[in-house]
Amino acid sequence: MKYDMSDYPLKLEGDNVPMVRFQNVTKKYGQLTVLDGLNLDVAEGEMVTIIGPSGSGKTTVLRMLMTLETIDSGVIYVDGEPLTHMEKNGRLVRASAAHLRKIRSKIGMCFQHFNLFPHMTALGNCMEGPIQVLGLSKEKAEKRALELLDMVGMAEKRDQHPSRLSGGQQQRVAIARALAMRPKVMLFDEVTSALDPEVISEVTSVIRSLVDQHNLTMLMVTHQIGFAREISDRICFFFAGQIEEQGAPKILLDSPQNDRTQQFLSAVLDAN
Amino acid sequence: MPYLDFLTTYSDRFLDGTLITLGQFGLAVLVAIIAALISGLMKMSHSKTVRATATVYIELFRGTSLLVQLYWFYFVLPLFGFTLEKFTAGFVTVGLCYGAYGAELVRGSIQSVPKGQWEAALALNMSPAARMRRIILPQALVTILPPWGNLMVEILKGTALVALISVADLMFETRQINNNTYLSAQAFGTALVIYYIFARFMVTPVMRWLERVMARKIGRM
């Protein structure tokens, strides 16, 4: 589809450049429009949580930012630079594989089903990216991986393969693995949805400590409204591929203005 | 002639033939692995030309008889100025033929690796080559080993056809012994047992052992 690229700046400049910007982003699967002209800015160090009914495009937002999905129109910017596009002769054109790799290095992601590499130990999982991608020496990568495994409380299990770890343990290793790449933006895609209720807190407490200690920009998709309320700077309620309502947790959760937000929240809170 | 006398008389020739068969087998397996890996990966390429090239190779070698292929490599290619020594022609043809079968196994095993593994490797910003080499292929290997074991036995049995382009393998020696002695039952019976021993007591156990080692490496045990 052709669209006019002149509406989109080549670079974001000025005082308040957001860490992430979705500008008029649309995503379609065949006839189905998953995201419809999405505009969303996330400031550096901000923790934004996305909630909404299934099929509302929440996960797609994260997957597009991780470049696991292409976009149909619009531009995504990361740290002021276009991610989905690049500059060529003063115009924005589709990003090349090399450009994607360059910008993608600023983003890390944790998945619902952990996706640890089963043929590597917990330590190996956390060393793989730093060695293969960042070119760290084995010693440096191991040191970094051990620090992070210690931070997520998994240092003792460093020599275990994922098949020997519980879901909560696997997810904590997966967080350490993503952090080992020193991303500026971390994406959490329903990271507690596949976990047994009693181990969810293992993972949420790790994420909570990230919010406290690091100046990471974070985007999280979750169904855990209570957790979202506690750690988010802002919550976005998605409906039918658009942000229906957004605001600080207190305001959005306690006094939602929109009917759909109200319905969704009461349904979710009933279920809990 | 009692069978024991027959064996002592011809053991040297059986042994020579067996060694040639083992050489043909080992080298053909090597060719098959390389051909299967390359064409299996080509089959998954984004480029239509690359995919088509792999398809032509696979169709050509799977769709025609190994014996005819051997004759082509040994008797016909020299007419186009491309001469292969018969030993080389033997294992190259057998390897390419079974490599074409192996290509589908390679593709299937790679596609059996969960999508989440590709995504996790991409999220770590690994290059396509590193993704394949470090993440996907080690996991695909575990899936491909059992069917690949079958293919190995097929390759071993397939090497018997190289006797027909006069490679002095086990089958070739056996036929010569038969021609000299007319002791068909003894000659071909011995060859039968030797092929069976190699397939059943060497190839299969080695593959089983490899399966166990790989399963342990991936932490499934």
Side-chain angles (χ1 to χ4, degrees):
Chain A
M1 197 201 317
K2 278 264 179 199
Y3 54 98
D4 189 6
M5 294 307 299
S6 57
D7 295 341
Y8 301 91
L10 300 176
K11 245 180 175 58
L12 304 183
E13 282 161 324
D15 287 340
N16 281 315
V17 173
M19 182 52 82
V20 175
R21 165 171 286 175
F22 290 82
Q23 188 170 343
N24 204 18
V25 172
T26 297
K27 173 74 187 171
K28 291 187 176 124
Y29 293 116
Q31 294 288 341
L32 180 74
T33 302
V34 187
L35 284 172
D36 191 6
L38 172 70
N39 289 297
L40 173 64
D41 277 9
V42 181
E44 187 172 1
E46 194 181 13
M47 171 70 172
V48 173
T49 298
I50 299 172
I51 60 171
S54 60
S56 60
K58 314 181 292 277
T59 288
T60 308
V61 173
L62 300 193
R63 291 177 58 82
M64 290 190 312
L65 191 49
M66 193 66 258
T67 70
L68 297 171
E69 308 272 354
T70 56
I71 66 175
D72 291 314
S73 67
V75 177
I76 302 176
Y77 297 88
V78 173
D79 205 6
E81 288 185 88
L83 163 76
T84 50
H85 294 72
M86 59 182 185
E87 191 200 320
K88 197 176 175 187
N89 304 326
R91 295 176 46 223
L92 283 182
V93 297
R94 286 271 168 193
S96 65
H99 180 80
L100 284 176
R101 276 202 88 193
K102 182 176 143 226
I103 309 295
R104 193 193 286 133
S105 66
K106 300 175 192 231
I107 308 166
M109 183 164 181
C110 293
F111 300 87
Q112 180 177 0
H113 296 288
F114 334 125
N115 301 352
L116 289 180
F117 305 131
H119 55 304
M120 297 177 188
T121 61
L123 185 65
N125 266 280
C126 298
M127 289 169 61
E128 185 64 15
I131 291 177
Q132 296 292 328
V133 181
L134 306 180
L136 257 62
S137 70
K138 205 166 163 274
E139 292 73 28
K140 275 193 179 156
E142 185 171 331
K143 188 166 167 282
R144 185 187 286 193
L146 281 174
E147 282 170 15
L148 287 164
L149 284 175
D150 192 43
M151 191 196 85
V152 300
M154 287 296 294
E156 270 175 45
K157 302 273 186 185
R158 64 185 177 199
D159 294 325
Q160 300 287 353
H161 280 86
S163 58
R164 293 290 190 89
L165 302 176
S166 73
Q169 292 173 329
Q170 288 191 52
Q171 194 60 285
R172 285 187 279 155
V173 174
I175 293 172
R177 174 176 74 175
L179 289 174
M181 301 300 287
R182 303 262 159 95
K184 292 188 160 185
V185 183
M186 270 291 279
L187 312 177
F188 296 98
D189 184 15
E190 301 198 32
V191 288
T192 56
S193 296
L195 299 179
D196 292 332
E198 71 270 21
V199 298
I200 286 178
S201 64
E202 288 178 16
V203 173
T204 51
S205 67
V206 167
I207 296 175
R208 193 177 294 125
S209 73
L210 289 179
V211 175
D212 295 342
Q213 294 167 14
H214 296 258
N215 195 32
L216 264 177
T217 306
M218 292 192 257
L219 268 155
M220 176 169 82
V221 170
T222 188
H223 294 291
Q224 286 194 282
I225 304 294
F227 180 53
R229 171 197 294 272
E230 188 192 330
I231 68 164
S232 311
D233 296 312
R234 176 158 49 117
I235 297 180
C236 299
F237 173 67
F238 267 67
F239 192 89
Q242 283 176 323
I243 298 178
E244 191 79 18
E245 189 173 356
Q246 60 178 317
K250 254 196 156 131
I251 297 168
L252 184 99
L253 298 177
D254 294 341
S255 48
Q257 300 301 306
N258 186 295
D259 289 346
R260 290 203 183 102
T261 318
Q262 287 167 8
Q263 280 168 17
F264 175 77
L265 286 175
S266 62
V268 170
L269 294 175
D270 278 353
N272 285 357
Chain B
M1 191 196 290
Y3 182 62
L4 263 184
D5 290 349
F6 170 82
L7 258 193
T8 27
T9 315
Y10 294 105
S11 61
D12 282 359
R13 302 197 56 181
F14 277 121
L15 187 67
D16 287 350
T18 303
L19 288 177
I20 295 288
T21 288
L22 282 184
Q24 285 282 319
F25 169 66
L27 291 166
V29 165
L30 214 63
V31 172
I33 290 174
I34 295 167
L37 192 60
I38 293 176
S39 57
L41 289 174
M42 283 170 72
K43 266 281 222 178
M44 296 167 57
S45 165
H46 291 300
S47 150
K48 215 174 170 181
T49 326
V50 173
R51 279 203 313 273
T53 311
T55 306
V56 168
Y57 157 69
I58 293 168
E59 285 300 313
L60 216 59
F61 278 85
R62 278 207 322 189
T64 60
S65 145
L66 172 56
L67 185 55
V68 179
Q69 290 164 22
L70 276 166
Y71 283 0
W72 260 86
F73 269 75
Y74 189 56
F75 297 119
V76 182
L77 283 188
L79 303 180
F80 298 98
F82 189 75
T83 309
L84 283 175
E85 204 258 317
K86 61 189 172 193
F87 184 85
T88 315
F91 75 78
V92 167
T93 314
V94 175
L96 286 177
C97 176
Y98 288 100
Y101 288 91
E104 293 297 335
L105 298 183
V106 168
R107 187 167 68 122
S109 69
I110 287 175
Q111 283 173 344
S112 76
V113 175
K115 212 168 140 249
Q117 293 291 311
W118 295 85
E119 295 185 345
L122 185 86
L124 289 181
N125 211 11
M126 293 174 82
S127 69
R131 280 204 302 265
M132 191 52 89
R133 188 171 51 82
R134 299 282 309 168
I135 308 302
I136 305 302
L137 285 182
Q139 297 184 58
L141 191 57
V142 181
T143 329
I144 204 177
L145 278 176
W148 193 268
N150 284 336
L151 196 68
M152 298 267 281
V153 173
E154 291 298 324
I155 293 174
L156 175 68
K157 295 189 292 191
T159 60
L161 286 179
V162 302
L164 295 167
I165 58 167
S166 325
V167 178
D169 75 332
L170 177 58
M171 192 58 202
F172 184 86
E173 296 288 359
T174 308
R175 284 203 317 168
Q176 298 250 303
I177 294 166
N178 179 54
N179 290 346
N180 294 344
T181 62
Y182 297 104
L183 294 171
S184 303
Q186 286 91 327
F188 291 118
T190 309
L192 206 71
V193 169
I194 293 175
Y195 277 114
Y196 182 74
I197 287 173
F198 276 119
R200 183 65 188 78
F201 297 104
M202 290 180 67
V203 177
T204 308
V206 165
M207 293 306 289
R208 288 275 151 75
W209 170 79
L210 259 181
E211 283 169 34
R212 276 203 309 279
V213 169
M214 290 313 298
R216 200 174 315 128
K217 269 205 160 167
I218 207 164
R220 285 209 190 133
M221 288 179 70

